[in-house]
Amino acid sequence: MTTTQNTTRQYPFTAVVGMDDMRLGLLLNAISPAIGGVLVRGEKGTAKSTMVRGLAELMPVVDVVAGCRFACAPAAPDPACPDGPHGAADGEQRPTRMVELPVGASEDRLVGALDIERALSEGVKAFEPGLLADAHRGVLYVDEVNLLHDHLVDLLLDAAAMGASYVEREGVSVRHAARFLLVGTMNPEEGELRPQLLDRFGLTVEVAASREPEQRVEVVRRRLAYDDDPAGFAARWADEEHRLRERIALARALLSQVRLGDAALRQIAATCAAFEVDGMRADIVMARTATALAAWAGRTEVRPEDVRQAALLALPHRRRRNPFDAPGLDEDKLDQVLDESGGQDPEGDDDPEPEGPDEGPDGPGGGPGGLPPQDGGPREQPGDASGPELPRQQEPERPARSEESAPEQAGEPAASGPAPEQAAVGATEPFRTRRLDVPGLGEGADGRRSRARTAHGRTTGARRPRGALGKLHLAATVQAAAPHQWARGRRGPGLVVRRDDLREAVREGREGNLVLFVVDASGSMAARKRMGAVKGAVLSLLLDAYQRRDKIGMVTFRGSGAELALPPTSSVEAGAARLAQLPTGGRTPLSEGLLRAHEVLRVERLRDPSRRPLLVVVTDGRATGGPEPLARAHRAAGLLAAGGTASVVVDCEAGPVRLGLAGELARELGGPAVTLDELRADSVSALVRTVQGRPAAGGNSAGRGGDRDRHNRKAA
């Protein structure tokens, strides 16, 4: 048996300072891959990638069949291996692989690809393995997993759950084993994963850089020492690495002997029920995690402290119902539930002072899970999976000026001067909104808002491949090849197919858009109840954008100008936080807000030309300050309309007398104006408007306004 050596010098896993939760989550998955992987949430520059690569160095070598592209074990090769059958094949040893999945990977790169031409013409399964095959019996690392396309995340997590990958193409199928330790990292500021995908990760941990100067000094000192002499630095930590590698192997061997008693099972079930997590996956993951914790501590019995630690790792991400929920777990409630559901297992250990989960073969006083303490300052507390909460959206106690106390008229300032700035008010409860989409057919990133040509969706036609063949359109391929069969010498059964005959399917689905909010925060919007309703509407639209996989941005205007409150991002949490902190007051520089939006969209078109924008202007349509403010606002709106920007105006005007200025602005922008009531998906007026007043052009909700605008114009 030959051995393949790995000469790459990675930064040692044990040399990383702090990051105790992440360290424990990775080690538990190394002991028991059935836990389902770990998702690491945290800010950039916190050694997430370094620790994952260091963990791969600690994994034991694997025995593989020589020449097998799917890493079959010589002692028990996969009978369905595409490279098999292997029989009495020679084996070799190689280090555990760590495979990285790039954000821009295609489906074929992930799961592998079939040679469709050979499959049709020769009837053979010519299969090129993907990254899932490379990661079998190793580590699969996905950096920025929240930026990965949803369908790729689905494929990835399905393979991780089933331990196999299936490739199906027009009746030709390949299956191979794909069991790996899955690690995903993400920065929440760049967008969240859908709750359905979050639930598929076994554990989650929150990481952040230490704020202790001494610990930060130690981080820098070690990193500089490694950069100066990687080999020498690794040699200094070789003993620690060896001890940890041996301990992982011992815990793996002990895992099958660990007993999960009825008392521990009752605590697990009671905890999951008390925190109202969906489904049964959380219970199963907690049970596996608690078992791995006991094995890690060198015990054969699961104890309450193991259940508690398992809950802190397995439940926080499963409690999130929408992106505005703060991550984390109420530890006081957790302790209460564990106490109430506790009770000594009749066959359990009655030791009144049980050995803690962090006290294993290395003895007490170590770090989390028995890891030796490190120099460089205080350690982070294990189990702290809570993250920063969004600002609480509460209304201030001091009275706000009513709308009538700051009577701005269209085109002229109020007689008493601009309304003073007021503190931010809270938003009303979000609601389900109507879908606002962009006209035409786009070609942007997969999403759920506007019609687009995508890699997934219903088939609408066929075309010659542009580059590598995507989804084969079998009927069109046969139709293209059929007229040439005699000329190609076909005299019997079978179809002679050439590459020029291949046709790929043209599919139509939906894309994600850039939804840019332009929010009026001036004095005319400053009445407390009114601004709370406006913020509630914007919060609802933010939630809708999250569900439809959009990017969002926010421009606000008040006083003498406009500002980009939130640059375009995939994080609706950031949008909600900016909205909660938004103060109101001052004049209404509507034109400045629209011009700033025009500039933001111009820059974004250069960065991502395939992502089409949707402009959502939230205002009552008033404009004050400077000469002819209303005329300047309409000229700015015409500039946006001339650029083909799809727009919608959310009319926030209130009171018995309505000027209809928002409707006039909508006509200049070339889009509809909807009231806050019409924005609701369950609104009767919205239903009537959809059925009777839907614009003909494009058949979408971003067309021109209807009868209500003409009525408002007469009233004005």
Side-chain angles (χ1 to χ4, degrees):
M1 177 177 290
T2 60
T3 301
T4 303
Q5 298 293 334
N6 186 357
T7 59
T8 303
R9 294 288 184 179
Q10 298 289 351
Y11 192 93
F13 183 87
T14 54
V16 177
V17 179
M19 302 301 160
D20 297 333
D21 287 342
M22 181 177 177
R23 185 190 311 272
L24 184 58
L26 291 173
L27 290 173
L28 292 176
N29 273 274
I31 295 167
S32 176
I35 288 173
V38 58
L39 175 65
V40 184
R41 296 164 44 92
E43 58 195 31
K44 54 186 178 293
T46 49
K48 299 189 293 291
S49 302
T50 299
M51 290 195 73
V52 177
R53 295 186 178 96
L55 178 69
E57 295 291 309
L58 295 174
M59 303 288 281
V61 296
V62 293
D63 296 331
V64 298
V65 173
C68 178
R69 297 174 297 169
F70 302 89
C72 283
D78 182 5
C81 176
D83 283 356
H86 295 298
D90 293 334
E92 64 180 11
Q93 288 187 332
R94 74 177 186 202
T96 297
R97 285 179 176 172
M98 196 205 73
V99 177
E100 295 192 47
L101 175 62
V103 171
S106 65
E107 180 179 339
D108 287 345
R109 184 71 185 99
L110 176 64
V111 301
L114 290 169
D115 189 331
I116 300 296
E117 184 177 0
R118 291 190 62 193
L120 288 174
S121 59
E122 302 175 26
V124 298
K125 296 180 181 180
F127 180 68
E128 183 65 28
L131 295 177
L132 292 179
D134 292 342
H136 179 47
R137 304 176 68 196
V139 180
L140 181 59
Y141 173 49
V142 189
D143 194 15
E144 306 295 352
V145 65
N146 52 324
L147 303 182
L148 201 65
H149 283 215
D150 281 356
H151 75 282
L152 292 182
V153 180
D154 284 329
L155 290 170
L156 174 66
L157 295 177
D158 281 342
M162 295 185 297
S165 175
Y166 295 85
V167 184
E168 303 280 349
R169 293 291 172 85
E170 305 295 345
V172 181
S173 63
V174 172
R175 175 241 176 238
H176 65 83
R179 291 183 294 275
F180 46 80
L181 193 165
L182 175 63
V183 183
T185 61
M186 59 175 284
N187 184 349
E189 294 180 356
E190 297 174 340
E192 283 287 352
L193 277 172
R194 290 187 288 127
Q196 297 91 328
L197 300 179
L198 279 173
D199 183 59
R200 302 291 293 276
F201 279 95
L203 310 180
T204 184
V205 294
E206 299 277 342
V207 298
S210 172
R211 300 299 184 257
E212 295 292 335
E214 290 300 321
Q215 195 170 25
R216 297 175 73 95
V217 166
E218 184 64 20
V219 171
V220 175
R221 182 182 292 119
R222 293 185 186 183
R223 184 68 208 192
L224 293 178
Y226 170 78
D227 291 341
D228 289 341
D229 183 9
F233 185 84
R236 289 195 294 273
W237 288 89
D239 290 342
E240 294 288 349
E241 294 279 291
H242 178 70
R243 282 195 292 270
L244 188 55
R245 187 180 294 108
E246 286 189 337
R247 188 172 173 191
I248 292 173
L250 288 173
R252 278 186 163 189
L254 186 62
L255 185 65
S256 61
Q257 304 174 36
V258 176
R259 178 179 176 275
L260 182 65
D262 289 342
L265 279 172
R266 284 194 295 271
Q267 286 187 316
I268 290 170
T271 302
C272 292
F275 284 99
E276 300 179 346
V277 295
D278 296 331
M280 295 298 298
R281 184 175 283 118
D283 303 63
I284 297 171
V285 170
M286 274 190 65
R288 289 171 174 166
T289 304
T291 303
L293 280 163
W296 177 240
R299 291 187 267 100
T300 58
E301 183 77 23
V302 172
R303 294 177 175 171
E305 55 266 29
D306 300 326
V307 176
R308 185 182 191 278
Q309 182 67 64
L312 292 172
L313 293 170
L315 296 188
H317 61 301
R318 292 185 165 88
R319 296 191 63 245
R320 304 193 72 185
R321 296 295 188 271
N322 64 63
F324 308 134
D325 291 340
L329 209 63
D330 185 341
E331 295 194 36
D332 292 336
K333 179 179 178 180
L334 174 61
D335 291 334
Q336 179 182 353
V337 171
L338 292 175
D339 289 341
E340 292 175 353
S341 60
Q344 184 62 44
D345 190 349
E347 301 179 11
D349 188 359
D350 293 325
D351 186 359
E353 295 183 359
E355 180 187 13
D358 296 337
E359 297 177 7
D362 293 339
L371 290 178
Q374 300 179 12
D375 297 329
R379 305 279 299 260
E380 298 174 1
Q381 292 299 319
D384 183 12
S386 60
E389 296 187 359
L390 296 177
R392 295 181 62 86
Q393 300 175 353
Q394 296 180 341
E395 296 183 2
E397 295 298 329
R398 63 176 184 173
R401 293 182 55 171
S402 65
E403 185 179 358
E404 290 77 9
S405 65
E408 293 183 332
Q409 299 297 324
E412 60 183 16
S416 58
E421 180 177 307
Q422 300 184 21
V425 300
T428 58
E429 285 295 319
F431 51 84
R432 190 166 65 91
T433 66
R434 297 168 51 188
R435 188 179 73 204
L436 307 172
D437 51 20
V438 178
L441 193 65
E443 294 185 351
D446 287 348
R448 299 181 179 180
R449 183 173 297 278
S450 305
R451 293 174 55 233
R453 294 187 182 92
T454 60
H456 301 83
R458 62 186 181 90
T459 301
T460 59
R463 66 184 179 190
R464 291 181 181 274
R466 300 174 181 176
L469 178 66
K471 299 288 185 179
L472 178 73
H473 195 296
L474 183 58
T477 298
V478 172
Q479 186 177 10
H484 309 291
Q485 296 304 296
W486 185 264
R488 293 174 182 174
R490 175 187 167 188
R491 298 296 183 268
L495 188 68
V496 181
V497 179
R498 304 276 175 82
R499 177 161 292 277
D500 290 343
D501 302 327
L502 297 179
R503 298 293 184 270
E504 66 180 3
V506 176
R507 298 173 180 264
E508 182 177 314
R510 293 200 172 269
E511 66 179 357
N513 298 108
L514 167 60
V515 182
L516 182 62
F517 295 93
V518 180
V519 182
D520 185 348
S522 64
S524 66
M525 302 280 288
R528 179 184 297 182
K529 291 183 179 179
R530 184 179 179 189
M531 196 59 196
V534 169
K535 285 189 175 184
V538 177
L539 199 64
S540 303
L541 290 167
L542 285 172
L543 183 58
D544 181 71
Y546 163 77
Q547 293 169 341
R548 301 191 186 282
R549 315 305 291 165
D550 296 317
K551 290 181 68 174
I552 61 157
M554 186 183 300
V555 171
T556 62
F557 60 93
R558 63 186 180 89
S560 59
E563 66 172 339
L564 180 59
L566 179 69
T569 176
S570 297
S571 174
V572 294
E573 284 182 307
R578 300 294 192 279
L579 186 68
Q581 299 166 357
L582 180 63
T584 56
R587 300 187 186 278
T588 312
L590 178 57
S591 59
E592 280 72 13
L594 296 175
L595 290 174
R596 187 61 186 272
H598 179 269
E599 177 61 19
V600 172
L601 294 178
R602 184 189 69 81
V603 174
E604 286 301 309
R605 283 193 184 97
L606 297 176
R607 292 176 177 171
D608 189 358
S610 64
R611 189 179 289 269
R612 298 186 295 163
L614 174 62
L615 185 69
V616 180
V617 185
V618 184
T619 182
D620 57 9
R622 301 187 184 192
T624 61
E628 299 182 338
L630 199 57
R632 285 192 294 113
H634 285 180
R635 287 196 295 271
L639 183 63
L640 285 161
T645 302
S647 306
V648 61
V649 176
V650 179
D651 185 355
C652 302
E653 190 173 26
V657 179
R658 301 177 62 84
L659 301 178
L661 298 175
E664 295 286 349
L665 177 63
R667 278 188 291 278
E668 294 295 335
L669 286 168
V674 296
T675 65
L676 294 176
D677 178 62
E678 291 172 336
L679 192 61
R680 294 178 177 269
D682 55 356
S683 169
V684 174
S685 59
L687 177 62
V688 173
R689 182 181 177 84
T690 300
V691 174
Q692 296 182 349
R694 194 172 179 87
N700 58 74
S701 59
R704 292 188 174 272
D707 295 337
R708 187 179 61 80
D709 294 335
R710 290 191 290 273
H711 173 75
N712 288 340
R713 188 163 62 251
K714 292 179 181 178

